[in-house]
């Protein structure tokens, strides 16, 4: 089905006119919803339409936790996997817990609670792990400046980037880079 202006308007206004007839998937989050879903309006270029609720699942999308487009509750395990997917794809942005909750289609407090109970760490801690791992890879495989690498992984404050890196790895980014084989 084609994303016409009239269908897009239904999604933008959260109308229930097409509920049960059309589902939309968001490519950037791999979540699919009913047109009436009250979650944040996605970028139109990231939207795929489906006329059968089984098709988005076959394409790797998971049902929205908020609107439950196939009238099934999404398990916490699947939701945590989706949160991890979002963290892996948005680590380089200013990703607050509020923004993460919007992208994962859940509330802030529920997201924090479920994530912590299933993983043993907070979403913020996981985000920092991802950022530091990406920074470590960039330090070993590029000649970008330390401040540029910090910025590339979503930590534009160079002092803070160095402080966190040293806390996790026990040495500064400069010292870490110096250890790489030539």
């Amino acid at each position: 089905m084609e994303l016409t202006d009239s269908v897009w308007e239904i999604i933008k206004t959260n109308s229930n006119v097409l509920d049960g007839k059309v589902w939309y998937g968001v490519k950037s989050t791999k979540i699919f919803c009913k047109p009436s879903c009250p979650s944040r309006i996605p970028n139109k270029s990231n939207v795929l339409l489906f006329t059968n609720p089984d098709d988005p699942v076959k394409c790797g999308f998971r049902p929205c936790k908020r609107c439950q487009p196939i009238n099934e509750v999404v398990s916490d395990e699947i939701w945590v996997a989706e949160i991890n997917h979002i963290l892996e794809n948005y680590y380089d942005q200013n990703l607050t817990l509020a923004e993460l909750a919007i992208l994962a289609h859940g509330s802030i407090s529920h997201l924090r609670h479920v994530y912590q109970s299933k993983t043993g760490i907070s979403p913020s801690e996981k985000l920092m792990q991802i950022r530091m791992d990406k920074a470590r890879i960039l330090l070993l495989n590029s000649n970008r400046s330390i401040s540029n690498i910090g910025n590339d992984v979503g930590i534009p404050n160079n002092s803070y980037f160095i402080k966190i890196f040293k806390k996790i790895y026990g040495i500064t980014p400069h010292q870490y880079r110096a250890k790489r084989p030539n």
Side-chain angles (χ1 to χ4, degrees):
M1 179 176 200
E2 183 183 339
L3 182 57
T4 62
D5 288 341
S6 59
V7 172
W8 178 241
E9 192 60 33
I10 288 168
I11 292 170
K12 283 184 4 185
T13 59
N14 306 115
S15 171
N16 65 358
V17 173
L18 292 177
D19 282 3
K21 299 173 188 149
V22 172
W23 294 261
Y24 71 91
V26 182
K27 291 185 272 187
S28 59
T29 61
K30 299 299 278 181
I31 295 173
F32 76 98
C33 300
K34 299 188 274 192
S36 63
C37 185
S39 294
R40 187 177 74 171
I41 305 303
N43 183 325
K44 186 177 180 181
S45 65
N46 285 331
V47 172
L48 293 174
L49 291 182
F50 301 95
T51 55
N52 180 324
D54 296 329
D55 291 342
V57 174
K58 290 176 187 171
C59 292
F61 291 85
R62 75 133 177 104
C64 173
K65 195 152 178 89
R66 183 173 285 168
C67 72
Q68 300 178 0
I70 53 176
N71 299 320
E72 292 178 12
V73 176
V74 175
S75 75
D76 289 343
E77 290 77 14
I78 291 173
W79 197 37
V80 166
E82 179 56 36
I83 293 165
N84 283 334
H85 175 79
I86 293 167
L87 291 171
E88 284 284 345
N89 286 289
Y90 291 89
Y91 71 89
D92 58 342
Q93 298 179 21
N94 182 19
L95 187 59
T96 64
L97 194 56
E99 183 67 19
L100 179 59
I102 289 168
L103 291 170
H105 295 207
S107 73
I108 295 170
S109 60
H110 187 64
L111 183 144
R112 186 184 314 115
H113 172 74
V114 168
Y115 195 89
Q116 180 98 29
S117 70
K118 294 295 176 187
T119 66
I121 61 173
S122 71
S124 299
E125 289 171 313
K126 177 64 174 179
L127 178 59
M128 193 56 71
Q129 285 178 357
I130 292 167
R131 286 175 169 167
M132 290 298 105
D133 190 50
K134 301 289 185 182
R136 187 183 55 76
I137 291 166
L138 286 170
L139 285 164
L140 292 176
N141 298 308
S142 79
N143 290 319
R144 295 183 54 76
S145 71
I146 303 298
S147 62
N148 282 344
I149 288 174
N151 203 42
D152 290 348
V153 299
I155 307 174
N157 181 318
N158 193 43
S159 301
Y160 183 66
F161 170 65
I162 293 168
K163 176 183 173 183
I164 295 298
F165 191 93
K166 186 172 183 179
K167 180 180 178 185
I168 291 173
Y169 294 109
I171 56 177
T172 67
H174 181 73
Q175 292 166 327
Y176 189 86
R177 176 177 268 165
K179 289 184 161 199
R180 74 178 172 184
N182 290 332

